[in-house]
């Protein structure tokens, strides 16, 4: 099986299931309007991974003038630690390569251990930190954002 197998581009017809997954599994769910805009934008790809016909993960990547940016990656809580985010990330990197992007950029909560391990394993390096960028999570404290990138060119 190829690393990105089972991943397909999502379309407006997938809006309801995509929105249901966001609401069920994301700590910061996108609104339906945000998802509709992403699905409709020619410079954005929403990639999804399914099991038994149901959507269990997705990623959103945007084409910028020189780089690409990973804006979201999410796997259903019941389906984690099975390599699905790794597969989505491979498909995102392939898409950025197709766009001839120089780098794949992202920002992540400094305390999001699962995502940090995933990104570091894929070769992302840290470029900087935005202090207190994210609104409070558990303890009322704002959380830093780490800025990361993967060179592609
Ligand atoms: C981050 C997330 C997408 C990872 O999805 P996943 O399908 O479980 O990830 P994978 O199974 O592909 O894991 C790949 C590697 O990442 C690391 N990893 C993933 N989850 C981890 C966790 N909870 N703790 C430590 N390492 C973790 C591991 O190295 C893992 O490989 P391994 O299982 O062989 O050790 C998932 O936890 C999620 O949807 N979180 C909520 C949304 C989110 O935070 N998205 C990122 C926003 S920037």
């Amino acid at each position: 099986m190829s690393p990105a197998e089972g991943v397909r581009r999502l379309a407006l017809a997938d809006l309801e299931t995509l929105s249901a997954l966001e609401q069920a599994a994301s700590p910061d769910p996108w609104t339906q309007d945000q998802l509709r805009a992403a699905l409709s934008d020619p410079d954005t790809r929403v990639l999804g991974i399914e099991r038994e016909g149901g959507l269990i993960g997705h990623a959103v990547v945007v084409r910028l003038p020189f780089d690409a940016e990973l804006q979201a990656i999410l796997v259903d809580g019941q389906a984690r630690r099975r390599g699905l985010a790794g597969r989505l990330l491979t498909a995102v990197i392939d898409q950025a390569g197709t766009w001839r992007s120089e780098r794949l950029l992202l920002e992540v909560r400094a305390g999001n251990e699962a995502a940090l391990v995933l990104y570091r394993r894929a070769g992302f390096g840290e470029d900087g930190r935005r202090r207190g960028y994210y609104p409070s999570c558990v303890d009322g404290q704002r959380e830093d954002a780490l800025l990361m990138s993967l060179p592609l060119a």
Side-chain angles (χ1 to χ4, degrees):
M1 191 194 291
S2 84
E5 199 166 319
V7 178
R8 72 170 174 92
R9 182 178 176 181
L10 301 184
L12 274 174
D14 300 297
L15 179 61
E16 293 299 328
T17 42
L18 184 59
S19 181
L21 176 61
E22 272 288 319
Q23 291 300 324
S26 174
D28 304 301
W30 288 33
T31 65
Q32 228 182 65
D33 282 351
Q34 288 172 314
L35 293 169
R36 187 182 293 106
L39 290 164
S40 313
D41 177 7
D43 286 325
T44 300
R45 292 288 179 279
V46 185
L47 303 172
I49 196 160
E50 289 166 325
R51 190 183 47 199
E52 290 155 15
L55 188 67
I56 51 171
H58 68 88
V60 181
V61 59
V62 178
R63 181 184 201 170
L64 304 175
F66 297 98
D67 299 322
E69 183 179 359
L70 177 67
Q71 292 198 337
I73 186 162
L74 178 71
V75 170
D76 180 66
Q78 307 295 317
R80 290 182 188 168
R81 297 309 292 264
R82 294 184 202 157
L84 298 180
R87 243 199 278 171
L88 282 165
L89 195 52
T90 299
V92 164
I93 293 166
D94 287 352
Q95 177 60 55
T98 304
W99 284 332
R100 299 191 178 283
S101 304
E102 293 173 11
R103 297 177 305 164
L104 180 60
L105 312 178
L106 62 86
E107 53 193 43
V108 55
R109 285 180 186 268
N112 190 344
E113 245 344 284
L116 283 170
V117 176
L118 173 75
Y119 299 146
R120 286 185 184 128
R121 252 175 58 160
F124 282 81
E126 264 177 50
D127 299 330
R129 176 182 286 259
R130 287 203 180 105
R131 299 222 173 262
Y133 179 75
Y134 290 107
S136 66
C137 44
V138 230
D139 53 5
Q141 297 285 320
R142 295 185 70 86
E143 191 172 3
D144 294 352
L146 293 185
L147 311 180
M148 304 185 85
S149 65
L150 178 72
L152 299 172

